[in-house]
Amino acid sequence: MMSWSDSLSRRLAERRGTSLWRRRQAHQSSNGRHLYTSDGQQYLNFSSNDYLGLSQHPEVIAAWQQGAEQYGVGSGGSGHVTGYTSAHHALEQQLAEWLGYSRALLFISGYSANQGVIAALMEKEDRIIADRLSHASLMEAAMHSPAQLRRFLHNNPISLKQHLGKSCAGKTLVVTEGVFSMDGDCAPLSEITQMAQSTGSWLMVDDAHGIGIYGDEGRGSCWLQNVKPEILIVTFGKAFGLSGAAVLCDEQTAEYFVQYSRHLIYSTSMPPAQAVALSEATRQIRAGDELRQRLQNNIQYFRREAQNLSFSLTDSETAIQPVIIGNNERCIALSETMKQQNLWVKAILPPTVSPDSARLRITLTADHTQQDIDVLLEALRGFDR
Ligand SMILES: Cc1ncc(COP(=O)(O)O)c(C=O)c1O
């Protein structure tokens, strides 16, 4: 019989020395513009999802402090025991009202929300038809569910239609994202919604990267494209500058999750102070047209000035501007070269992205200045030579 240690060392050996070996590095701190390493080095940060810079917003920080004074620092249990306070309730109501749903339910992360929703909803005879580039948290939940998983071609409604045309004994859940996390492109939500509706399927949209950024008062990709999926996932680790997530749905579906979603029932809820901070972040987002405009200006500036690079940019018009390199080793080397120039741009490698599509995932935020972007562009130009 193989020992645990032999088994782990075999699997580590398979990966060690390859370009897929993952490393973490403890930083001193970071925000939407800078990252400081423990050795005191300052980098321009082009890998953060803190798109509006709210992680450092003084009023959001003050709200968290005030919440901690009032409630302490932890929730003390799952929402079904002691962990559902007036702060959680107020945030849920605020989110539901803002996004036009009857109910919002808080989860501790986007990963947990996607797992908690899919695991609770799907039964054996059902099927999930998901965009093939959907986030790992959606795909993993779908693979572990008893339902059949089918993947449609990325952002391709014709491929979705072909899958929907095949018969299924149970219910169908169509899954996609508002803005794709590794490519930055946007789903054609209007066509996808029509197809889902015409076949009696439900649509679940994970708008982790669109919420706060698009639509009136930052209501996200669905609002922008004038659709209302049965299940909307919003996460708080990106434009909100915090962490956590919410599921938006109707009354009956929310009650179903309260009864059946194991992530809600068996996990300690987020600290009430965090809910207070999230309420303030939501207020900042709703009033954040100026921040959104700064972000859009930065995106347009980057794309305009990047046109003469030898790398072609993708079609993404969002804050996520990947530069596809292809080869893993070359991508890592370019990321290291950027680091030597005090630019923090992470290499994203398979299996996070598909084989041969390793990339520098550049993210822009409202906090970057045009001079910051000029420094980035100059470094990218250096690759040409
Ligand atoms: C599209 C998408 N969904 C879900 C998640 C997971 O959210 P969280 O970081 O809150 O777990 C992420 C990323 O981190 C994401 O990009």
Side-chain angles (χ1 to χ4, degrees), residues 107 110-124 126-130 134-149 173-176 204-206 231 233 247 256-257 260-263:
F107 283 73
Y111 205 101
S112 172
N114 286 337
Q115 302 281 318
V117 163
I118 290 178
L121 281 181
M122 304 315 293
E123 296 179 286
K124 197 162 182 289
D126 297 340
R127 69 177 167 181
I128 296 172
I129 310 181
S134 298
H135 190 258
S137 54
L138 293 161
M139 284 310 200
E140 196 194 78
M143 286 186 290
H144 287 167
S145 88
Q148 254 182 41
L149 168 62
L173 183 68
V174 175
V175 173
T176 190
M204 171 173 179
V205 176
D206 176 344
I231 313 265
I233 307 291
V247 176
Y256 180 83
F257 290 139
Y260 289 102
S261 180
R262 299 171 70 83
H263 281 254

Side-chain angles (χ1 to χ4, degrees), residues 49 108-114 134-138 177 179-182 206-209 233 235-238 243-245 361:
N49 294 325
I108 54 164
S109 70
Y111 205 101
S112 172
N114 286 337
S134 298
H135 190 258
S137 54
L138 293 161
E177 293 179 26
V179 174
F180 282 82
S181 58
M182 293 299 140
D206 176 344
D207 201 23
H209 297 273
I233 307 291
T235 71
F236 305 134
K238 280 86 181 168
S243 69
R361 179 179 178 271

Side-chain angles (χ1 to χ4, degrees), residues 228 259 307 346:
K228 187 175 172 190
Q259 302 308 318
Q307 265 172 13
K346 279 294 275 188

Side-chain angles (χ1 to χ4, degrees), residues 53-99:
L54 290 187
S55 75
Q56 305 293 325
H57 196 288
E59 287 175 47
V60 179
I61 294 171
W64 191 308
Q65 286 165 338
Q66 178 260 309
E69 292 289 335
Q70 186 177 345
Y71 294 97
V73 291
S75 69
S78 110
H80 289 61
V81 186
T82 61
Y84 188 63
T85 65
S86 50
H88 296 89
H89 181 66
L91 175 60
E92 286 184 346
Q93 289 202 317
Q94 184 185 13
L95 292 168
E97 185 265 319
W98 173 43
L99 298 172

